[in-house]
Every structure is written in C-alpha cells, then in structure tokens.
Amino acid sequence: MQRSDGELMQHWGEKYRELARECLRVASTTITAESRSLLVEMARVWTRLADERAQQQKDQSKKDQSKKDHGGATSSGKASAPAPREIPP
C-alpha cells in the first residue's frame, strides 16, 4: 500500500521528533559539555525539521480542502477551460 504525500510528511515529522528525543536522551547521559551541546543542537535541528514537515502537511491539507470545496474551479468560480489553440493560416 502506497502512502499519500500527507502521510509521508506526517511519518517523517514523527521520525524527526523521535530522533530529537533520542539526541536529548543521549545528551543527558553524556559526560562532556561539548558532546552535550552538540547533541542538544542536533535535537533542535530535528525539531525544526519536524515543525517544517507539520507546516507542510497543514498547507497541503488546506490546498486539498480548497480543491474539494471548489470542485476544480478557478478563483472566479468557473471551471477552467483549456486555452484555445492557435490555428495556422
């Protein structure tokens, strides 16, 4: 079974948050301040990526809902027709 784009974004967002938690867990057991600092920074990056995925998923949901609400209509409310083709002389 293939996942939709929204499901993939959600999956990766969850994975990024899991990685952030793991970085913080390891940081709490690390002896050196330098290692802790690097792991905390890695956790921040994973969290930022998860937040970006969540925003992308939210934006995609809005687009999908808008398409459903308008039934494929353009912003004028009329269904778009194909552009006329030029007929050679």
Side-chain angles (χ1 to χ4, degrees):
M1 184 168 145
Q2 196 170 12
R3 292 182 180 197
S4 70
D5 288 344
E7 289 172 325
L8 280 174
M9 283 189 272
Q10 183 176 2
H11 166 77
W12 282 108
E14 291 167 3
K15 183 66 176 172
Y16 295 155
R17 290 193 196 286
E18 180 184 324
L19 290 167
R21 286 189 298 271
E22 182 65 11
C23 286
L24 293 175
R25 186 192 66 74
V26 172
S28 70
T29 64
T30 301
I31 296 172
T32 67
E34 182 180 9
S35 294
R36 265 192 309 279
S37 178
L38 286 171
L39 287 162
V40 168
E41 182 57 29
M42 287 173 63
R44 284 188 187 122
V45 171
W46 287 124
T47 300
R48 180 180 52 80
L49 289 170
D51 291 345
E52 288 174 7
R53 287 290 181 201
Q55 185 61 49
Q56 289 172 347
Q57 185 177 12
K58 185 176 177 182
D59 293 346
Q60 186 63 46
S61 292
K62 284 182 182 179
K63 284 181 187 178
D64 293 345
Q65 187 60 46
S66 179
K67 285 180 184 178
K68 287 179 187 176
D69 291 347
H70 294 99
T74 64
S75 59
S76 67
K78 297 178 182 175
S80 60
R85 291 186 292 165
E86 193 171 310
I87 302 172

